[in-house]
Amino acid sequence: MPFALIARLLTGEAGIYFARLRNMATWYVVMGVFGLITVIFLLMALFAWVETHLGPILTALVFAGVFLVLTLVAFLLARSSAGQPKGQRAETLQREIASIAGVTAMSNAPQIFRLMRRKRGLVIIPMAALGFLGLYKAITAFRDE
């Protein structure tokens, strides 16, 4: 859908595209209202049918209990699913940052290599830092054993 919108913007047909989207949204709202009314009438029919077997007070209590349980289940599902997208967003953000960093590093690699060829002394500092880091990790691993 975003690609269709971009294509419409580039070709100048965005007004027609938005008019169609608005028209579709209106019809979906109308269908949603009709669906909700249908569900309400089905519940009313179920209530009337159960009332003939149990009586009006007991039927009202049963329906209230069932809808209370459904509300609690929906609440618990909403609470349990609320934390998942944050983790997924953070994970997605980390992957995007890593991807951007990789692309940046690869696009700057030729310039860095040219600089390294001209000034060989610049290679010594990162190599020494990596050597000290490896030595530090080896000492801590040996000490932890």
Side-chain angles (χ1 to χ4, degrees), residues 58-74:
L58 187 58
T59 303
L61 290 174
V62 167
F63 267 67
V66 166
F67 281 106
L68 178 66
V69 168
L70 289 174
T71 303
L72 289 174
V73 167

Side-chain angles (χ1 to χ4, degrees), residues 66-139:
V66 166
F67 281 106
L68 178 66
V69 168
L70 289 174
T71 303
L72 289 174
V73 167
F75 175 73
L76 292 174
L77 288 173
R79 292 281 296 203
S80 68
S81 67
Q84 292 173 353
K86 290 179 186 175
Q88 291 173 352
R89 276 185 272 159
E91 188 176 301
T92 303
L93 180 64
Q94 289 298 325
R95 277 187 276 154
E96 288 176 357
I97 289 172
S99 173
I100 290 170
V103 168
T104 304
M106 292 307 292
S107 65
N108 289 331
Q111 296 166 351
I112 292 172
F113 287 137
R114 256 185 266 131
L115 181 65
M116 291 296 176
R117 271 190 239 139
R118 281 190 235 142
K119 298 187 178 189
R120 301 227 184 245
L122 292 177
V123 178
I124 295 171
I125 296 171
M127 295 306 256
L130 285 174
F132 283 122
L133 178 66
L135 183 62
Y136 171 74
K137 287 194 176 207
I139 290 171

Side-chain angles (χ1 to χ4, degrees), residues 9-30:
L9 286 173
L10 292 175
T11 58
E13 299 174 0
I16 297 170
Y17 184 73
F18 284 123
R20 285 182 185 165
L21 280 178
R22 190 173 38 252
N23 189 18
M24 284 177 30
T26 303
W27 283 112
Y28 281 129
V29 166
V30 168

